Amino acid sequence: MPLDEETVRRIATRLEEGEAGVAARLRALEVYREQPLPRRSLHLWRYTDPAALMPDGLGPLPAEAGGAPGPVPGRPAAAVLLRPGEHPGIEGTLPAGVTVEPLDGGDPRLGRAVPEVRGPFEAMNRAAFDAGVLVRVAPGTAVEGPVWIRAASGGGAFLPRILVDVGEGATVTVVEEHVGGAGGFRIAVTEILAGPGARVEHVPIQRLDDGARGHLTVRTVADAGASVATSFVSLGGTLVKMDLGARLAGEGASSELLGFLLGGDGQRFDHHTVHRHEAPRGRSDIGFRTVLTGRSRSAYTGLIRIEQEARGVEAYQENRNLLLSKEARADTIPELEILNEDVQCTHGATVSPVDPDQAFYLESRGLDPVEAERLIVGGFLEPTLARVPGGVRELLEPVIAARLEALGAGR
Amino acid sequence: MTDRADVVFSCRDLHVFVEDREIVRGVDLEVRAGEKHAIMGPNGSGKSTLAAALMGHPAYRVEGVIELGGERVDGLPAHERARRGMFLGFQYPVAVPGVSVASFLRAAVSARRGEEVPIREFRKMLAEAFETLSIPKEFMGRSLNDGFSGGEKKRLEILQMLLLRPRFALLDEIDSGLDIDALKVVSEGIERAAGPEMGLLLVTHYQRILEYVRPDVVHVFMGGRIVRSGGPELALELEERGYDWLQPDAGPVEAAS
Ligand SMILES: Nc1ncnc2c1ncn2[C@@H]1O[C@H](COP(=O)(O)OP(=O)(O)O)[C@@H](O)[C@H]1O
Ligand SMILES: [Mg+2]
């Protein structure tokens, strides 16, 4: 189906939305129509053709949901399943003060962190998201265990949307896991609103099927004193762009973004992070690591922007790329836009093979070269893995082990 | 002919090259079970290069014969030499961030044994070894050599030697960067690991450690060669007179037996 008014109405009807939802979606459709695909000369799109990520149509609803995603590991506070054209499946008993419910296209908070004018993918999702969930945490509430949201689909286009609204002083962990999608497109948008003093942990995990393409946008708005810890992992798909970031909108807000990707033969990744400091005394830190094998490719662009009024800010950004094969390639472009003098800011990037001294040290203890490399790579991923919530490590460890096993076999 | 059955390590006519530069220029050594040898030489003479090449560092081109327990190992990669019982204590142990000391040690002990060491047995071994080297237990969970002080790294090297039970151990400047207390602990660890079956080659710049770990044979190494070999008294002589009287190209060289 084409992305037109009729399709948008059909999605809204299927999700039982009222007139407000339809109207907001149609406004976004106008924005979508007026936006050309981004020009390749923009630094954000230097490495990836946006046309390659844009679905040529939307799947018939509901699209076939794809492989049974299995139970969520660990002890989640709630398990949410998003499938194309369906209301979210929600399981778990939530503590008072927390609600998890279907997201309505008319929700006035939509677009606060990711406005539709941001780009065609964001506008498309706003107009036509075909599954959505709203997580609300009342002020002062602490949620134990993650709210685990799994977005699963078969082929075709799937446009899930997540909105997390965290009240003043509340604490919550949200896992966002993307699975399935073979041969299809995943155009996802997640917005997180962290109220004053809120503490939010967000764990986006991209483990789409082989052959899947995806454009995943995540934005957090952090109010005064809020702290956001994002741990992201990107493993799957054939061509995936992830665009993650936070606006530090209130004084003393902090955001820490740690993550890694593991790329194998035939995979192309394009990841972008941004920290936008709009208020004084904020703190932000980015540590993104890539491990690439075979003929995989990664492009990373990272932006730190510090507005004029954001004085006394500390902002750090590091990107490290480990190339395990001669054919793998990593590009990394850090960007700083700093509009005042009263800041502490560092950034760094490296692209290198496994350190031969580390390998020799381990081999001198009897580890064969494959084992040694596996241990070094495991250590390289540890900073992110060390801080993911319970259940996530359990989920990821066998997946990563299998990937590293494959690396060893492929040499 | 002397009996060679108790020779745990030997090398003959060993040359080591970095690209076209010859750094080790013909070294012969023979170490018997229970023997301790010391190699002493000035900075830059090629001691670490010799040690790393003996262990199989891939950056070096090596000519000559290396034998471990009577079998040639010069064609083998480092991990094979290690599995057969060769051990190198590094002058500069390498940090591997994110890899815990305990998981690394378990992998190493398992590799040396050729089978996975059971977790309970491993825990016990580990606790004893940490005790012997006076290393706090917290280090088991820390990243390997990452942010360790010089002394902590050296203790961990000896701890590895204890756990891996080599037949032949090369210790490259294990004494550098140690204060006197750490030196005693490290020396005790070496004495404990070195039984009547193990051969030891202690590479050092200073005589100091030889007061604690008494060598049977001392070799003076200069300009990529052993220029003189003798008993423990040679170390004392070096301490008094320095190296200058022993120029590598001055006069006949007493070859290692
Ligand atoms: N991998 C290498 N590449 C280049 N030069 C090297 C390498 N290894 C050793 N050398 C050189 O060999 C010489 C001896 O160094 P080294 O073996 O460290 O001496 P020592 O341990 O006796 O102080 C030095 O000049 C050093 O620069
Ligand atoms: Mg040296």
Side-chain angles (χ1 to χ4, degrees):
Chain A
M1 299 186 299
L3 179 48
D4 57 15
E5 185 171 335
E6 194 197 325
T7 302
V8 167
R9 284 184 185 279
R10 203 185 308 180
I11 291 168
T13 306
R14 187 161 171 93
L15 297 178
E16 300 171 291
E17 290 180 2
E19 263 319 300
V22 176
R25 286 172 179 271
L26 290 176
R27 281 196 299 275
L29 179 64
E30 281 315 303
V31 175
Y32 172 76
R33 284 183 170 148
E34 282 157 19
Q35 276 193 70
L37 278 180
R39 289 193 316 273
R40 296 293 303 276
S41 58
L42 291 173
H43 97 275
L44 207 55
W45 290 99
R46 234 169 104 173
Y47 295 99
T48 305
D49 180 2
L53 287 172
M54 187 54 85
D56 37 20
L58 301 182
L61 290 173
E64 162 229 344
V72 156
R75 290 213 189 105
V80 179
L81 183 59
L82 298 180
R83 291 170 187 268
E86 291 178 17
H87 282 311
I90 301 166
E91 282 170 33
T93 39
L94 290 159
V98 188
T99 55
V100 178
E101 60 201 297
L103 176 62
D104 190 278
D107 193 300
R109 288 162 290 202
L110 281 173
R112 268 200 220 164
V114 183
E116 54 256 36
V117 292
R118 202 185 134 65
F121 296 96
E122 289 81 1
M124 177 185 222
N125 178 288
R126 179 71 186 88
F129 70 84
D130 49 1
V133 64
L134 166 66
V135 178
R136 271 185 306 160
V137 185
T141 307
V143 186
E144 259 186 62
V147 174
W148 192 305
I149 302 165
R150 189 174 263 169
S153 67
F158 179 29
L159 285 62
R161 190 164 187 118
I162 297 169
L163 175 59
V164 182
D165 184 5
V166 188
E168 179 162 359
T171 303
V172 69
T173 298
V174 176
V175 177
E176 169 184 352
E177 186 192 3
H178 289 274
V179 300
F185 293 83
R186 179 72 49 96
I187 311 296
V189 172
T190 297
E191 296 181 273
I192 298 173
L193 308 173
R199 286 175 35 202
V200 182
E201 231 182 299
H202 182 220
V203 187
I205 300 168
Q206 182 282 106
R207 50 188 204 99
L208 293 169
D209 287 340
D210 262 0
R213 296 170 182 224
H215 185 285
L216 315 178
T217 305
V218 176
R219 279 294 179 284
T220 302
V221 180
D223 285 348
S227 73
V228 183
T230 308
S231 309
F232 69 100
V233 176
S234 192
L235 300 170
T238 297
L239 176 64
V240 177
K241 186 168 174 78
M242 277 177 91
D243 178 350
L244 306 143
R247 268 173 54 207
L248 292 91
E251 180 158 355
S254 72
S255 169
E256 195 178 19
L257 241 158
L258 291 187
F260 63 80
L261 75 73
L262 219 53
D265 228 358
Q267 290 185 293
R268 291 179 66 112
F269 296 96
D270 183 334
H271 284 51
H272 175 65
T273 64
V274 57
H275 272 146
R276 198 172 289 274
H277 285 269
E278 298 171 355
R281 279 170 290 287
R283 195 180 176 288
S284 70
D285 199 353
I286 287 171
F288 177 42
R289 299 186 167 193
T290 82
V291 177
L292 299 173
T293 66
R295 275 180 300 272
S296 60
R297 281 197 65 168
S298 164
Y300 168 71
T301 49
L303 170 66
I304 299 174
R305 178 166 172 109
I306 303 178
E307 303 293 347
Q308 199 169 358
E309 57 275 25
R311 313 198 74 85
V313 158
E314 276 178 65
Y316 308 101
Q317 177 173 304
E318 188 199 51
N319 172 227
R320 291 176 57 189
N321 300 272
L322 197 52
L323 306 184
L324 302 187
S325 74
K326 289 203 170 61
E327 299 78 32
R329 177 167 166 186
D331 293 285
T332 172
I333 304 186
E335 273 204 323
L336 305 177
E337 293 174 5
I338 302 178
L339 306 184
N340 80 69
E341 309 267 283
D342 180 20
V343 297
Q344 268 194 56
C345 191
T346 63
H347 66 93
T350 58
V351 180
S352 62
V354 167
D355 178 356
D357 289 332
Q358 288 182 344
F360 178 63
Y361 186 74
L362 299 182
E363 287 163 31
S364 80
R365 301 309 188 232
L367 281 71
D368 68 44
V370 173
E371 273 179 287
E373 185 174 284
R374 230 180 272 161
L375 218 55
I376 292 166
V377 172
F380 186 72
L381 306 181
E382 188 58 26
T384 302
L385 288 177
R387 70 166 203 178
V388 294
V392 174
R393 194 174 178 126
E394 244 169 83
L395 172 90
L396 291 178
E397 261 174 356
V399 177
I400 292 168
R403 290 291 295 272
L404 296 183
E405 199 83 38
L407 310 183
R411 56 180 50 238
Chain B
M1 287 295 282
T2 53
D3 181 17
R4 289 186 50 85
D6 62 346
V7 174
V8 291
F9 168 82
S10 68
C11 66
R12 290 193 298 279
D13 198 23
L14 193 84
H15 299 257
V16 181
F17 303 84
V18 175
E19 277 143 28
D20 282 338
R21 190 171 151 215
E22 186 176 10
I23 294 172
V24 172
R25 304 187 298 151
V27 166
D28 295 82
L29 275 168
E30 197 169 278
V31 180
R32 287 163 194 274
E35 271 184 0
K36 300 186 191 99
H37 290 225
I39 286 193
M40 300 185 70
N43 272 334
S45 54
K47 304 185 296 297
S48 291
T49 304
L50 171 66
L54 289 175
M55 193 68 228
H57 197 299
Y60 301 114
R61 184 164 64 81
V62 176
E63 286 172 7
V65 173
I66 307 170
E67 286 183 352
L68 188 67
E71 283 176 38
R72 283 191 66 161
V73 296
D74 43 81
L76 298 179
H79 70 278
E80 288 292 349
R81 298 185 201 195
R83 288 176 187 192
R84 284 163 202 235
M86 198 187 282
F87 179 85
L88 170 62
F90 282 59
Q91 179 175 1
Y92 303 109
V94 183
V96 190
V99 174
S100 79
V101 168
S103 61
F104 158 69
L105 290 175
R106 185 150 184 238
V109 172
S110 301
R112 168 81 171 108
R113 286 198 183 175
E115 61 180 18
E116 192 82 352
V117 48
I119 188 76
R120 290 189 61 178
E121 184 194 342
F122 176 68
R123 287 225 183 93
K124 190 157 167 284
M125 286 170 72
L126 207 58
E128 281 171 16
F130 270 70
E131 178 84 42
T132 303
L133 274 304
S134 307
I135 306 177
K137 299 264 188 302
E138 299 86 80
F139 277 74
M140 293 181 190
R142 286 183 52 180
S143 281
L144 182 57
N145 292 322
D146 194 17
F148 289 21
S149 72
E152 289 161 352
K153 287 182 191 167
K154 295 304 174 74
R155 285 182 206 205
L156 192 67
E157 293 294 288
I158 299 306
L159 181 136
Q160 293 175 53
M161 181 171 77
L162 265 176
L163 290 177
L164 295 174
R165 306 180 160 280
R167 299 156 85 180
F168 172 66
L170 284 150
L171 299 179
D172 189 4
E173 301 223 14
I174 199 71
D175 49 339
S176 65
L178 296 184
D179 61 29
I180 195 74
D181 291 333
L183 187 65
K184 279 184 186 157
V185 171
V186 160
S187 302
E188 279 164 25
I190 295 172
E191 288 293 351
R192 186 177 293 225
E197 259 119 67
M198 195 183 97
L200 179 69
L201 184 60
L202 206 60
V203 174
T204 182
H205 185 61
Y206 298 107
Q207 189 266 344
R208 198 176 58 154
I209 192 173
L210 304 182
E211 289 171 20
Y212 299 93
V213 182
R214 301 226 159 247
D216 304 294
V217 185
V218 173
H219 308 276
V220 184
F221 190 81
M222 295 175 78
R225 279 191 172 121
I226 291 174
V227 296
R228 184 175 292 243
S229 299
E233 69 288 347
L234 186 52
L236 295 171
E237 201 172 349
L238 286 173
E239 181 79 351
E240 269 165 33
R241 298 175 65 186
Y243 290 101
D244 290 347
W245 58 287
L246 286 163
Q247 284 307 319
D249 300 312
V253 166
E254 207 181 297
S257 55

